[in-house]
Amino acid sequence: MNNNIAVGIDLGTTFSAAAVVNQHGQPEIIPNSEGERLTPSAVFFDSDSIVVGQIAKDAAPGSPDQVVMFIKRQMGNPNWYYTHQQQRLSPPDISGLILAKIKQDIETVFGHPVPYAVITVPAYFDDDHRRATITAAELAGFKVLGLINEPTAAAIAFGVERSTGSETVLVYDLGGGTFDATLMRVEGKEIRILSTDGSHQLGGKDFDDALIRFAVEKFLQ
């Protein structure tokens, strides 16, 4: 296999995943070291170690102050940091740890270094958000070939798989922590973005929080 292989990474708010185009020309998700297709975007800071993934997520209920989750919401925020062993870690630092775990798992599967990555980002990410994402990837050891908007990635898959004519397509991405919608024109393999908008403070986490608040209020009545 070509050692210059590039992987596609969905660096998500709640879960992240990596994929590669296989020998048949089809995208294939690469399992992590736990054998799962998705890696929780969670980091557990123990006293003498840092753990990323499912173990970190499982540790959150019992050690909430030692687990960082939903870091994607803080990307591009220069005022946010997490202190670990007297060191301030920025959002790119935390995201870099998640990407480093993904990179290590990928290289374990392939048996050689995987230096290149294309990373998806929300369509509404501005320059600060995008630069922070690139910094995180570089901290993990990746050379970033490009960033692609998440709805555009979905539209490309849509166009490749089934679109043969010209269509106006609405793509919405409602994730664990972010939401965006993009209206685009798909003409064969050509994609033209007509409009896009979204919120980085709206997702499954907010639905969960609203349900918890509702349950607590009912319980206290």
Side-chain angles (χ1 to χ4, degrees):
M1 182 175 286
N2 185 356
N3 285 10
N4 290 327
I5 188 172
V7 295
I9 298 177
D10 175 10
L11 181 59
T13 308
T14 51
F15 290 93
S16 296
V20 66
V21 176
N22 63 25
Q23 64 268 32
H24 305 294
Q26 296 297 316
E28 180 179 333
I29 292 181
I30 305 165
N32 60 22
S33 58
E34 294 80 32
E36 300 294 335
R37 291 158 59 89
L38 298 176
T39 298
S41 302
V43 184
F44 175 45
F45 293 91
D46 201 356
S47 57
D48 57 356
S49 64
I50 298 174
V51 182
V52 177
Q54 189 62 50
I55 294 176
K57 182 182 177 184
D58 292 343
S63 305
D65 294 337
Q66 294 176 260
V67 178
V68 176
M69 302 175 67
F70 311 108
I71 192 60
K72 187 173 179 177
R73 287 185 160 187
Q74 302 299 335
M75 293 296 277
N77 180 358
N79 300 316
W80 189 97
Y81 63 88
Y82 179 84
T83 302
H84 175 63
Q85 295 184 345
Q86 300 181 338
Q87 187 177 20
R88 289 186 174 186
L89 301 177
S90 67
D93 291 329
I94 304 292
S95 292
L97 294 171
I98 297 169
L99 287 168
K101 150 78 169 168
I102 292 173
K103 188 173 191 292
Q104 181 179 15
D105 290 348
I106 293 169
E107 292 177 345
T108 297
V109 170
F110 289 145
H112 60 71
V114 178
Y116 303 109
V118 175
I119 302 175
T120 61
V121 295
Y124 59 83
F125 260 25
D126 60 21
D127 288 342
D128 290 338
H129 293 90
R130 293 170 189 270
R131 280 195 296 268
T133 303
I134 292 173
T135 297
E138 291 173 344
L139 289 172
F142 281 116
K143 297 177 182 178
V144 181
L145 298 181
L147 301 179
I148 183 169
N149 290 344
E150 291 162 358
T152 302
I156 290 173
F158 174 85
V160 168
E161 292 295 330
R162 54 155 287 186
S163 179
T164 56
S166 298
E167 299 180 75
T168 300
V169 180
L170 175 65
V171 179
Y172 74 89
D173 182 2
L174 179 56
T178 61
F179 173 76
D180 61 65
T182 299
L183 188 67
M184 58 185 66
R185 186 70 179 170
V186 179
E187 298 175 347
K189 306 302 181 186
E190 300 295 324
I191 298 172
R192 181 162 51 93
I193 305 298
L194 303 178
S195 182
T196 188
D197 202 358
S199 171
H200 68 289
Q201 297 292 336
L202 176 62
K205 177 185 186 303
D206 302 286
F207 300 153
D208 292 343
D209 291 346
L211 289 170
I212 290 170
R213 287 194 300 269
F214 176 79
V216 169
E217 290 171 1
K218 290 296 184 182
F219 179 79
L220 294 175
Q221 288 177 358

